[in-house]
Amino acid sequence: MDKNKFLNYVKDLDFSGISVTEIYNKISNAAVSMLNLKRRECRYATYISIEYLVGNVFYNNLMALGVLEQVTEILEKKGVNINIFEEIEDAALGNGGLGRLAACFLDSAAAKGYPLYGYGIRYKYGLFKQVIEKGCQTEYPDDWQKYGDPWSIKKEEESRTIHFKDYDVKAVPYDMLIIGKRINALRLFEAEGEKAKEICEYLYPPDDTEQGKLLRIRQEYFLSAATIGELIDRHISKYNNILSFSKYNCIQLNDTHPVMAIAEFIRILTSIYNIGFDDAVKAAKKSFNYTNHTIMPEALECWDYKLIEQILPDIANVLIKLHNYSQAEWNNISCQKDEMNSMAIFYDNKFSMANTAVYIASSVNGVAEIHTEIIKKQLFSAANKYYPSKFKNVTNGVTHRRWLQLCNKELSALLDDSAGKWRDNIHLLKNFIVSDNNIKEFKKIKALKKRQLADYILKRQGIKIDSESIVYCHIKRLHEYKRQLMTAFAILCIYYDIKTGKLTDFYPSTFIFGGKAAAGYFRAKGIIKYINEIADMINNDAANDKIKVVFAENYNVSYAEKIIAGSDVSLQVSTAGMEASGTGNMKLMMNGAVTAGTMDGANIEIVQKAGKQNNYIFGATVEDIEKLVGTYCPVSFLEKNPKLKYVVNTLIDGTFSDKGKGWFEEIYNSLTKTIWHRADNYFVLYDLPAYVETLLKVNEDYKQKDKFAIKAINNIANSGYFSSDRTIAEYAKDIWKIDSV
Ligand SMILES: *Cc1c(COP(=O)(O)O)cnc(C)c1O
């Protein structure tokens, strides 16, 4: 891009009487029109994902173009603070970690010059907007396109028709530009046509009814077929030989949602190109790879034969054939019956999308070392026995451009002074050493980021926090395994100890929660209400000047950027074995927060790199949990610990009210009774005492500010490994075999 031409354009803009949205669109359109789009060359990789949690694109793109500072100055001179564009809603076409990872990968690939293209769905409404009303979550539609979508280019002429048995829809691509050393694109398909509206209306429409399940299947096939159709046509028009597809293409399936792409690929090869089934499967095996993101059974999709057959008979047919084909292969290598069942593509009248992916993929990866070990030993143990070379670990990462440069320019400037060209080569962060100057400057910067966070919370929610307090944050999707409830209990334990005078020298602390609960996940919604009840009580206690609790409303990428830069302590307390990796933990580490967490997901690698002494690890390990299952009895545990019992009883003793919804009692029952699951199956009460102690230890250590800053510096210096630049380089070399061009 011709930077001067662009900056002159911005200088010449007349802002009088035009709205923020119009300014946003003018500047963005000008940048896009001046960009020189590169075409695909050679071998490239395709990332298919049902989610992309992109966030605000304006600041990020201007930064990527190297003009953010200049534009900030130009606007300042015109009396416009660049922060006004914060009111442009995030593009939230994703739920949480999985979607944000996809966005980080695209950023890193473009920055590092790898030809990687993302494919997804252009939902009309992104993840719902969360409003907290009387302490409860209410969901409102997120109409992100109402501000315009100036960074995307519609490619009407590249539309294609997608066939379902009952109707056709048109898939119209929009390319969202991904700017870096190369310009790649995130291609999002919008459905057009009489019946099309519902297909791309919502991200994850409810799937508890048959209609809902059919809609999910339609979405998944829509994305798969639009992507595969395009890749094959593009390949044929260039090389005119379908069997060389895998020489130039490589497809990464992000979790199970796009697995129907495999069946679509085989369908096209066999029915349009007249390739034999055997050769078509072999071609698929060379083209696809699969990333598993979770071992939670509800996320490992299985679709009823009759549902797929009803709207996609050819796909059902291909999957059945593939099932028979794989069974024959396993018979040949003398697999045992139970192994064959566990690997089966078709079982109990259902298609297992995960097993389909594992069978076809040349590479199956988990997203952190412990997670990869778990999928090898448990989830896919039979496949690992017969195809050990398929399984790889690629530990997740986050882009340090958004999660450090953009959200913490002050810390980035300090790193420029001490770590050289770390922005291009993240491993140079190692040079950020513990020195008197770095300690002093880091403390100043953290204090500043906390003041900025306090201002932001005040502006966004009208809540005042003490910016000199310790900021502990627990920010992520609301889920029982992530154990926000345990943090809530821990806060109560500490609060009551302060009230009764048992705890005297507690350093003032602010606990920030942030996260959305899935609309139909009642227990998670109950936990939000419970946290807000606790916040109400504690924040309104005039005698309390030690603890403040904030529930960050509508936690999204933009909010995350502020909280992450301004936090001292990163709470990562999932039940061991349950959090595949986590990426919030990495973002916080980069910004100099210490981790207080369990030995789970990437926390393990974080403390390996940054040192246990610089973080706070507690709680049951995966091995401990394995032993506890079956013997752990939370009720007798509570009986032995009156303080815990007192705190847990606040769910039912009238201390707090859920306004007759029955949520709190249900949560209480989930902890103490065997219902449809074992009592306290996330081991909240088991880990709680150690958690409280850990939080108090952090609190105590924080008083020695220099020592605490040293821990933070060690975390930052060792966070380079967790940049998605490293992750993407591993995928490129070990899985995709693509070069930076
Ligand atoms: C990073 C991120 C997540 C993932 O957080 P985890 O702690 O890894 O679960 C979720 N939502 C947003 C907005 C994020 O930025």
Side-chain angles (χ1 to χ4, degrees):
M1 187 178 82
D2 182 340
K3 284 190 200 173
N4 285 330
K5 190 171 156 205
F6 172 72
L7 293 170
N8 283 330
Y9 172 87
V10 180
K11 272 184 202 145
D12 291 343
L13 278 176
D14 180 6
F15 291 163
S16 47
I18 69 172
S19 69
V20 174
T21 310
E22 280 168 299
I23 306 175
Y24 164 72
N25 277 290
K26 278 191 186 214
I27 296 176
S28 306
N29 283 328
V32 170
S33 72
M34 291 178 202
L35 283 172
N36 187 8
L37 292 181
K38 282 196 196 140
R39 294 300 307 171
R40 294 186 160 84
E41 314 109 40
C42 274
R43 182 175 169 83
Y44 60 90
T46 297
Y47 200 82
I48 318 183
S49 176
I50 204 95
E51 304 186 24
Y52 291 89
L53 193 50
V54 177
N56 179 302
V57 291
F58 185 73
Y59 304 110
N60 192 66
N61 286 348
L62 293 185
M63 181 178 77
L65 291 167
V67 294
L68 181 59
E69 275 176 41
Q70 293 95 319
V71 171
T72 306
E73 279 166 29
I74 295 169
L75 294 183
E76 199 69 61
K77 283 194 191 127
K78 291 170 178 282
V80 175
N81 182 326
I82 195 156
N83 293 340
I84 59 167
F85 301 110
E86 284 176 357
E87 75 179 57
I88 306 288
E89 211 65 64
D90 282 11
L93 307 181
N95 245 331
L98 175 133
R100 186 51 234 174
L101 184 80
C104 281
F105 281 4
L106 295 183
D107 182 85
S108 279
K112 290 283 140 187
Y114 292 109
L116 173 72
Y117 295 82
Y119 283 75
I121 297 178
R122 192 166 186 268
Y123 302 101
K124 170 104 178 65
Y125 300 102
L127 179 59
F128 64 84
K129 268 173 93 162
Q130 178 194 58
V131 178
I132 302 295
E133 292 170 352
K134 299 202 170 76
C136 301
Q137 166 178 299
T138 357
E139 301 95 29
Y140 290 90
D142 161 59
D143 187 8
W144 66 284
Q145 290 172 31
K146 73 171 179 237
Y147 304 91
D149 178 18
W151 295 92
S152 293
I153 302 169
K154 184 175 183 179
K155 296 278 176 67
E156 180 82 50
E157 66 287 1
E158 295 182 37
S159 303
R160 60 184 53 246
T161 304
I162 308 298
H163 306 286
F164 295 98
K165 188 174 177 188
D166 44 355
Y167 59 80
D168 288 354
V169 299
K170 196 164 130 191
V172 184
Y174 288 71
D175 286 342
M176 191 179 270
L177 303 183
I178 310 292
I179 302 162
K181 181 172 158 195
R182 12 172 332 129
I183 297 179
N184 290 331
L186 165 56
R187 172 160 279 206
L188 298 175
F189 294 104
E190 192 166 276
E192 280 183 11
E194 211 185 311
K195 297 267 189 88
K197 205 174 136 237
E198 62 171 12
I199 290 186
C200 64
E201 191 151 32
Y202 290 103
L203 167 76
Y204 298 128
D207 67 348
D208 46 355
T209 63
E210 187 163 306
Q211 279 315 305
K213 288 192 176 68
L214 282 172
L215 181 53
R216 290 274 185 106
I217 293 170
R218 282 190 206 277
Q219 289 188 324
E220 294 184 358
Y221 181 70
F222 173 76
L223 169 60
S224 300
T227 307
I228 296 298
E230 181 196 305
L231 295 184
I232 290 180
D233 286 356
R234 206 184 271 275
H235 177 76
I236 290 292
S237 71
K238 212 163 166 193
Y239 304 101
N240 200 26
N241 172 10
I242 188 67
L243 289 176
S244 68
F245 182 84
S246 67
K247 194 166 163 203
Y248 299 99
N249 281 278
C250 144
I251 299 165
Q252 192 70 37
L253 302 170
N254 196 30
D255 226 6
T256 57
H257 321 100
V259 169
M260 252 179 272
I262 292 173
E264 175 68 358
F265 180 85
I266 296 173
R267 184 192 72 79
I268 294 178
L269 263 62
T270 50
S271 71
I272 300 182
Y273 292 93
N274 293 315
I275 305 289
F277 195 79
D278 183 54
D279 284 333
V281 173
K282 284 184 178 137
K285 284 186 175 184
K286 284 192 255 171
S287 306
F288 287 92
N289 305 291
Y290 161 63
T291 305
N292 173 275
H293 284 271
T294 173
I295 57 164
M296 298 271 149
E298 63 267 30
L300 295 162
E301 295 172 300
C302 288
W303 295 122
D304 277 341
Y305 171 82
K306 71 174 198 318
L307 291 181
I308 297 205
E309 206 276 333
Q310 191 179 330
I311 52 173
L312 297 162
D314 294 347
I315 292 298
N317 202 9
V318 168
L319 286 171
I320 291 287
K321 273 188 165 166
L322 191 60
H323 170 76
N324 294 332
Y325 182 94
S326 57
Q327 294 278 318
E329 179 178 322
W330 298 331
N331 270 323
N332 265 337
I333 53 172
S334 311
C335 294
Q336 274 143 38
K337 194 77 208 146
D338 60 330
E339 291 172 339
M340 280 171 69
N341 287 345
S342 78
M343 291 192 284
I345 288 174
F346 187 59
Y347 189 79
D348 200 13
N349 277 318
K350 286 185 176 65
F351 294 114
S352 158
M353 303 321 268
N355 283 348
T356 306
V358 170
Y359 176 63
I360 289 293
S362 18
S363 162
V364 176
N365 75 287
V367 291
E369 276 166 20
I370 185 177
H371 168 63
T372 301
E373 285 311 305
I374 290 173
I375 65 174
K376 278 160 69 172
K377 285 204 194 105
Q378 294 169 20
L379 197 56
F380 304 132
S381 62
N384 183 48
K385 177 173 164 193
Y386 294 102
Y387 311 101
S389 63
K390 276 192 193 205
F391 289 86
K392 296 188 179 104
N393 174 57
V394 188
T395 298
N396 282 168
V398 299
T399 170
H400 61 277
R401 281 163 292 280
R402 182 179 292 267
W403 297 111
L404 182 49
Q405 283 173 227
L406 192 62
C407 75
N408 203 336
K409 63 176 199 284
E410 300 83 354
L411 178 57
S412 298
L414 174 62
L415 294 170
D416 287 339
D417 291 340
S418 41
K421 293 202 174 302
W422 65 276
R423 292 170 193 251
D424 301 325
N425 178 2
I426 192 66
H427 301 291
L428 294 177
L429 283 183
K430 277 268 176 221
N431 296 331
F432 184 48
I433 50 161
V434 174
S435 68
D436 288 350
N437 182 64
N438 285 346
I439 292 172
K440 187 175 101 221
E441 294 302 319
F442 174 78
K443 283 193 303 184
K444 263 199 230 160
I445 290 165
K446 188 55 89 181
L448 172 67
K449 298 314 281 185
K450 287 206 254 188
R451 289 198 297 276
Q452 291 172 358
L453 172 61
D455 290 346
Y456 189 78
I457 293 176
L458 185 64
K459 190 176 92 191
R460 196 159 153 158
Q461 291 186 240
I463 300 174
K464 234 180 127 160
I465 67 165
D466 171 7
S467 63
E468 309 218 327
S469 62
I470 308 180
V471 176
Y472 296 79
C473 73
H474 195 154
I475 46 173
K476 48 189 75 247
R477 285 301 299 245
L478 236 304
H479 201 292
E480 288 162 275
Y481 85 81
K482 291 176 180 277
R483 299 201 291 192
Q484 285 93 348
L485 182 62
M486 188 167 79
T487 303
F489 286 152
I491 294 169
L492 277 181
C493 287
I494 293 171
Y495 174 73
Y496 286 134
D497 273 358
I498 294 174
K499 293 300 285 178
T500 55
K502 266 197 213 125
L503 186 59
T504 47
D505 57 349
F506 185 74
Y507 197 99
S509 299
T510 302
F511 289 87
I512 300 178
F513 289 90
K516 298 178 186 177
Y521 190 174
F522 294 102
R523 210 176 270 169
K525 289 179 141 178
I527 293 170
I528 291 179
K529 173 67 173 162
Y530 185 60
I531 291 168
N532 281 311
E533 286 290 299
I534 293 173
D536 246 16
M537 175 180 82
I538 293 183
N539 300 347
N540 291 321
D541 173 357
N544 158 45
D545 56 0
K546 293 286 174 65
I547 306 190
K548 185 120 192 173
V549 181
V550 176
F551 192 92
E553 183 178 54
N554 200 37
Y555 175 65
N556 60 5
V557 171
S558 292
Y559 215 150
E561 290 170 18
K562 310 285 179 193
I563 299 173
I564 284 165
S567 289
D568 298 300
V569 189
S570 160
L571 303 177
Q572 306 296 339
V573 301
S574 51
T575 315
M578 303 250 173
E579 185 73 89
S581 162
T583 50
N585 45 5
M586 303 170 181
K587 300 166 194 166
L588 282 148
M589 178 196 195
M590 268 179 196
N591 283 275
V594 301
T595 298
T598 47
M599 280 302 242
D600 198 21
N603 296 352
I604 297 175
E605 289 160 73
I606 286 176
V607 295
Q608 260 167 20
K609 304 273 176 212
K612 267 199 169 165
Q613 72 283 7
N614 295 312
N615 290 289
Y616 297 83
I617 293 298
F618 71 92
T621 61
V622 169
E623 294 76 30
D624 295 335
I625 299 272
E626 274 166 11
K627 284 187 208 131
L628 281 168
V629 170
T631 59
Y632 169 54
C633 173
V635 173
S636 52
F637 197 79
L638 278 184
E639 290 308 326
K640 277 183 243 150
N641 195 328
K643 194 161 100 192
L644 290 198
K645 188 172 175 186
Y646 183 79
V647 161
V648 173
N649 270 342
T650 61
L651 283 164
I652 49 163
D653 66 7
T655 308
F656 302 118
S657 157
D658 61 12
K659 298 282 176 309
K661 291 213 161 62
W663 284 336
F664 293 173
E665 192 182 343
E666 205 278 330
I667 294 172
Y668 181 84
N669 289 340
S670 80
L671 295 171
T672 54
K673 296 195 170 76
T674 301
I675 32 180
W676 45 273
H677 57 72
R678 275 190 299 265
D680 191 16
N681 58 340
Y682 295 99
F683 301 91
V684 170
L685 304 178
Y686 186 85
D687 276 341
L688 182 56
Y691 188 26
V692 173
E693 255 173 51
T694 302
L695 294 175
L696 293 177
K697 172 93 174 79
V698 174
N699 194 275
E700 184 60 32
D701 286 1
Y702 186 83
K703 293 172 193 161
Q704 291 189 292
K705 297 246 166 90
D706 283 3
K707 273 197 173 166
F708 203 80
I710 290 171
K711 291 180 197 284
I713 290 171
N714 279 313
N715 273 288
I716 297 166
N718 289 292
S719 67
Y721 183 79
F722 301 101
S723 164
S724 44
D725 287 8
R726 187 271 312 155
T727 315
I728 277 295
E730 285 182 16
Y731 275 99
K733 179 165 162 288
D734 301 336
I735 298 179
W736 303 334
K737 318 247 183 299
I738 57 169
D739 296 318
S740 166
V741 284

